[in-house]
Amino acid sequence: MNFEVSELTQQVTQTARDFALQHIKPHVMEWDETQEFPVEVFKKLGELGLMGVLVPEEYGGAGLSYYEYIEIIQEISKVCGSIGLSVAAHNSLCTSHIMLFGNEEQKRKYLPALASGEYLGAWGLTEPNTGSDAGNMRTTATLEGNAWVLNGTKNWITHGISGNVAVVIARTGEPRKSGNCTAFIVEKGTAGFLGGKKENKLGMRASETAEMIFDNCRISDAQRIGEVGDGFRQALKVLDGGRISIAALSLGIAKGAFEAALQYSKERHQFDKPISSFQGISFKLADMATEIAAAELLTQQACDLKMRGEHMTKEAAMAKYYASEVAVKVATEAVQIFGGYGYTKDFPVEKFYRDSKLCTIGEGTSEIQKLVIARELLK
């Protein structure tokens, strides 16, 4: 691994930081309280190329690497985890799935609109009764002539209502049989494709999480991604990259909480001294900084392997598992350092605290990450 940060990465990082401070920070609590999903922000992000970070320039994207991508997610998430989550889901799930497995016609049709922010992407794998048990999904796709008919419900979908285009994994074979799922692209407005219930969440409240409902939704075979039965294999590859995204999201939240706590500890005085001078507080800060640094190294390792095209399932799972747990721990300690003020909405750490928990659940719980890591170790 090369730890030298390129000039390009520094410039992109600064662009994301400036955008977050100017366009996101003033509205963070307003969006959180009202659960407003600020679509206009994603249009502006698209104008900067941040909605197609990894998309090659020939398809209208920024053509940047995972190194720049994880920095962008971190900088946005240091200000607002909700916006960071939505940017991550758009880039690493929907857009990346089409980029990795779509045919040339599909790439040219959808990637430019996704990269520019004209289209918002969603990705549908999870169902009400099949979270990690995706092989038993109940959403089905049945071939009738040259068309596929989709029926079923997906839930916990980022942009499930507002997404303009969704990549959906549906069962095309028998439950629990190998190769029983296929991926499809479904556009908003297609008959029988509806947004369902929007979730009222603990945290990440400005990021839309909702159901996607398919009721005899008929789409052309041209909307199929790859071969019939290849959907689950594709999804696993997409999730490897998605785990790096969630690790970066976790790092951003952890860094935001840490920086707020560090600054407060210098300003808050007790017994005529800043509380940072007390060992009980300074040792908390030392632990927080060390664990963030360790999580960042794991994330960079996974990123490095991804960029070199090497197998990184274990490393991505490690990064996601550790960084997400660190985010929760750091946010909890930040609230503790703020004391009573940390329990109020007048200071940012209570939101970091609420937002952080999603990182240990989304795109595979910490327990599932341990399962993935163990399987890779025991191969």
Side-chain angles (χ1 to χ4, degrees):
M1 287 176 62
N2 180 4
F3 290 96
E4 183 179 354
V5 180
S6 72
E7 184 178 348
L8 173 62
T9 303
Q10 292 178 42
Q11 291 173 348
V12 171
T13 302
Q14 189 62 51
T15 297
R17 182 180 301 135
D18 292 343
F19 182 92
L21 292 175
Q22 180 181 351
H23 297 286
I24 299 174
K25 189 174 182 179
H27 309 287
V28 167
M29 291 312 297
E30 172 194 346
W31 294 338
D32 184 77
E33 292 285 346
T34 62
Q35 299 195 68
E36 177 185 349
F37 179 59
V39 176
E40 69 283 354
V41 167
F42 298 96
K43 303 291 185 185
K44 292 176 182 176
L45 283 164
E47 292 170 6
L48 287 177
L50 303 186
M51 296 296 276
V53 181
L54 304 168
V55 176
E57 292 182 21
E58 64 179 298
Y59 299 113
L64 298 173
S65 75
Y66 252 79
Y67 299 117
E68 288 81 43
Y69 176 57
I70 63 174
E71 292 299 325
I72 289 166
I73 298 300
Q74 284 186 71
E75 289 301 325
I76 293 173
S77 303
K78 280 165 68 174
V79 174
C80 181
S82 296
I83 306 303
L85 173 62
S86 278
V87 172
H90 172 93
N91 274 283
S92 72
L93 298 180
C94 177
T95 303
S96 276
H97 198 135
I98 296 172
M99 185 172 70
L100 290 171
F101 299 107
N103 59 37
E104 190 63 22
E105 182 180 349
Q106 290 167 342
K107 290 178 182 178
R108 296 205 174 277
K109 181 176 181 180
Y110 294 108
L111 290 181
L114 287 164
S116 69
E118 177 188 350
Y119 279 6
L120 191 64
W123 193 73
L125 176 65
T126 304
E127 298 184 0
N129 296 302
T130 57
S132 301
D133 185 16
N136 195 34
M137 68 175 61
R138 298 180 184 179
T139 297
T140 61
T142 306
L143 186 61
E144 295 184 1
N146 194 39
W148 291 90
V149 180
L150 275 64
N151 281 287
T153 301
K154 299 290 184 180
N155 74 335
W156 309 116
I157 308 304
T158 306
H159 314 144
I161 296 171
S162 298
N164 302 96
V165 59
V167 172
V168 181
I169 319 298
R171 183 163 56 79
T172 49
E174 294 301 313
R176 301 197 186 285
K177 298 292 185 181
S178 178
N180 70 344
C181 299
T182 306
F184 301 91
I185 303 172
V186 187
E187 295 184 28
K188 186 176 184 178
T190 302
F193 175 33
L194 307 166
K197 174 191 173 185
K198 179 180 176 179
E199 301 296 342
N200 183 8
K201 307 192 299 291
L202 167 72
M204 302 291 196
R205 289 165 62 82
S207 179
E208 179 186 275
T209 306
E211 292 179 322
M212 292 194 302
I213 300 169
F214 302 91
D215 182 10
N216 290 319
C217 176
R218 184 177 293 269
I219 57 173
S220 165
D221 187 55
Q223 300 300 102
R224 171 172 49 84
I225 303 178
E227 299 299 321
V228 174
D230 203 30
F232 193 57
R233 183 188 69 83
Q234 294 174 12
L236 290 177
K237 292 289 186 183
V238 170
L239 284 171
D240 277 347
R243 286 169 182 149
I244 299 176
S245 290
I246 301 300
L249 172 69
S250 303
L251 275 171
I253 291 171
K255 287 180 177 181
F258 172 74
E259 290 172 8
L262 178 64
Q263 185 64 34
Y264 181 80
S265 74
K266 296 176 180 178
E267 296 171 352
R268 172 71 167 171
H269 282 66
Q270 292 285 274
F271 306 102
D272 303 319
K273 294 179 181 180
I275 62 173
S276 59
S277 68
F278 300 124
Q279 191 177 80
I281 300 298
S282 65
F283 277 18
K284 285 184 186 294
L285 294 168
D287 284 341
M288 293 158 78
T290 301
E291 291 178 356
I292 288 171
E296 188 156 31
L297 286 172
L298 281 171
T299 304
Q300 289 173 345
Q301 175 186 235
C303 177
D304 181 63
L305 291 170
K306 173 77 172 174
M307 287 305 301
R308 289 194 273 121
E310 297 186 20
H311 183 72
M312 51 80 187
T313 297
K314 171 170 66 75
E315 290 77 9
M318 284 179 168
K320 194 273 186 189
Y321 163 54
Y322 188 72
S324 64
E325 293 291 340
V326 166
V328 172
K329 184 175 179 180
V330 168
T332 301
E333 292 287 45
V335 171
Q336 194 71 16
I337 289 170
F338 270 79
Y341 291 112
Y343 207 65
T344 73
K345 294 183 181 292
D346 295 329
F347 292 87
V349 290
E350 71 86 28
K351 183 177 182 297
F352 286 125
Y353 179 74
R354 289 185 289 108
D355 287 350
S356 66
K357 191 57 195 169
L358 182 278
C359 299
T360 69
I361 298 170
E363 294 197 34
T365 63
S366 291
E367 290 74 22
I368 288 296
Q369 303 312 314
K370 290 181 185 180
L371 181 65
V372 171
I373 294 164
R375 283 178 175 173
E376 289 293 311
L377 291 172
L378 297 170
K379 277 184 176 179

